[in-house]
């Protein structure tokens, strides 16, 4: 089954304790992206990757890191989480390329992160 | 900066009524996508409109792309409780990244 898998689904942690949210897709998509979703603000892009070893900042990259060492995996790293990073996070992938923004994005089921 | 304004933010109506959700921008998009998101899940694509003036139908849902490709609408006829969810529009911007609307939370009461 074609899917984007995020782990964990839920995490409660404390300020400053490094954490990683994993994302894996099995559709051979080149493009992957991380979003955060907050009430009234919609989806805001954190980082995206057009291909292996190629990552770019989205609209709200501060406080986050990503890596793309393999095509299927795109982990999101919070080196020193703070309460304002409490949010619902989504990973997405697609066949999108620089010449084609019309491709649909396939989303994981989300990770609800609470930073105390 | 390209922005996509979505309205209304929230809509609660009775089963059987019709409704329209709007996405508006001052920018031109090469395409526009509509997604539906249910609680505990990620957004799922409903439709992509590409051509100015294009109309697509998905059962009781009608999607339209404006002639100038700056706006789009989603019309639901005879809404059902199963239509309840968060509806999101996303336009493909100048750098082919998606610009997202803030979403419309739709509740259909039986």
């Amino acid at each position: 089954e074609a899917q984007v898998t995020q782990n964990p689904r839920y995490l409660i942690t404390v300020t400053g304790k490094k954490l990683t949210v994993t994302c894996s897709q099995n559709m051979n998509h080149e493009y992957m992206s991380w979003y955060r979703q907050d009430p009234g603000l919609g989806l805001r892009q954190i980082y995206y990757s057009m291909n292996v070893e190629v990552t770019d900042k989205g609209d709200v990259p501060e406080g986050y890191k990503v890596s793309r060492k393999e095509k299927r995996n795109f982990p999101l790293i919070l080196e020193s989480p703070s309460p304002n990073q409490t949010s619902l996070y989504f990973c997405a992938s697609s066949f999108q390329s620089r010449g084609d923004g019309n491709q649909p994005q396939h989303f994981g089921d989300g990770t609800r992160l609470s930073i105390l | 900066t390209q922005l996509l304004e979505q309205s209304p933010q929230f809509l609660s109506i009775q089963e059987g009524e019709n409704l329209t959700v709007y996405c508006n921008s001052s920018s031109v998009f090469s395409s526009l996508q509509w997604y539906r998101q249910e609680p505990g899940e990620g957004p799922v694509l409903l439709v992509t409109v590409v051509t100015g003036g294009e109309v697509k139908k998905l059962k009781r849902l009608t999607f339209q792309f404006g002639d100038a490709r700056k706006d789009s609408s989603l019309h639901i006829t005879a809404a059902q409780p199963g239509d309840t969810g968060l509806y999101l529009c996303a336009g493909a911007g100048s750098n082919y990244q998606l610009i997202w609307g803030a979403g419309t939370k739709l509740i259909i009461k039986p």
Side-chain angles (χ1 to χ4, degrees), chain A:
Chain A
E1 180 189 352
Q3 59 186 4
V4 177
T5 304
Q6 295 179 228
N7 279 297
R9 290 293 311 276
Y10 304 91
L11 179 63
I12 301 174
T13 188
V14 296
T15 299
K17 186 176 181 182
K18 181 180 178 180
L19 68 93
T20 300
V21 185
T22 64
C23 175
S24 179
Q25 51 95 4
N26 63 359
M27 294 169 278
N28 202 35
H29 287 160
E30 292 185 344
Y31 181 91
M32 296 186 75
S33 179
W34 275 103
Y35 295 91
R36 61 179 288 174
Q37 187 175 40
D38 301 288
L41 297 178
L43 287 168
R44 293 183 291 167
Q45 192 176 50
I46 302 170
Y47 271 94
Y48 65 96
S49 169
M50 299 296 289
N51 212 328
V52 176
E53 301 294 358
V54 179
T55 62
D56 284 296
K57 294 178 180 179
D59 297 318
V60 288
E62 294 78 21
Y64 304 95
K65 286 175 59 177
V66 293
S67 69
R68 188 89 182 275
K69 296 177 182 175
E70 307 165 280
K71 197 171 191 177
R72 63 182 294 130
N73 296 323
F74 191 44
L76 178 70
I77 303 156
L78 284 71
E79 293 268 6
S80 183
S82 63
N84 64 11
Q85 293 178 298
T86 291
S87 186
L88 180 58
Y89 291 85
F90 287 99
C91 179
S93 71
S94 86
F95 283 118
Q96 181 175 334
S97 67
R98 292 202 184 277
D100 179 9
N102 300 341
Q103 295 295 322
Q105 299 212 359
H106 300 261
F107 286 83
D109 284 336
T111 295
R112 187 164 289 282
L113 202 54
S114 294
I115 315 294
L116 305 177

Side-chain angles (χ1 to χ4, degrees), chain B residues 54-110:
Chain B
E54 182 176 6
V55 177
K56 281 191 174 179
K57 293 194 175 185
L58 195 65
K59 297 183 181 177
R60 294 174 292 97
L61 278 61
T62 302
F63 304 85
Q64 185 160 11
F65 203 12
D67 292 340
R69 290 185 288 126
K70 293 182 179 181
D71 54 83
S72 182
S73 63
L74 156 61
H75 183 79
I76 301 179
T77 303
Q80 303 294 310
D83 296 327
T84 292
L86 179 68
Y87 289 80
L88 296 158
C89 60
S94 55
N95 63 352
Y96 301 104
Q97 294 300 309
L98 288 178
I99 310 297
W100 291 86
T104 294
K105 187 172 184 179
L106 178 62
I107 296 176
I108 311 298
K109 295 176 284 189

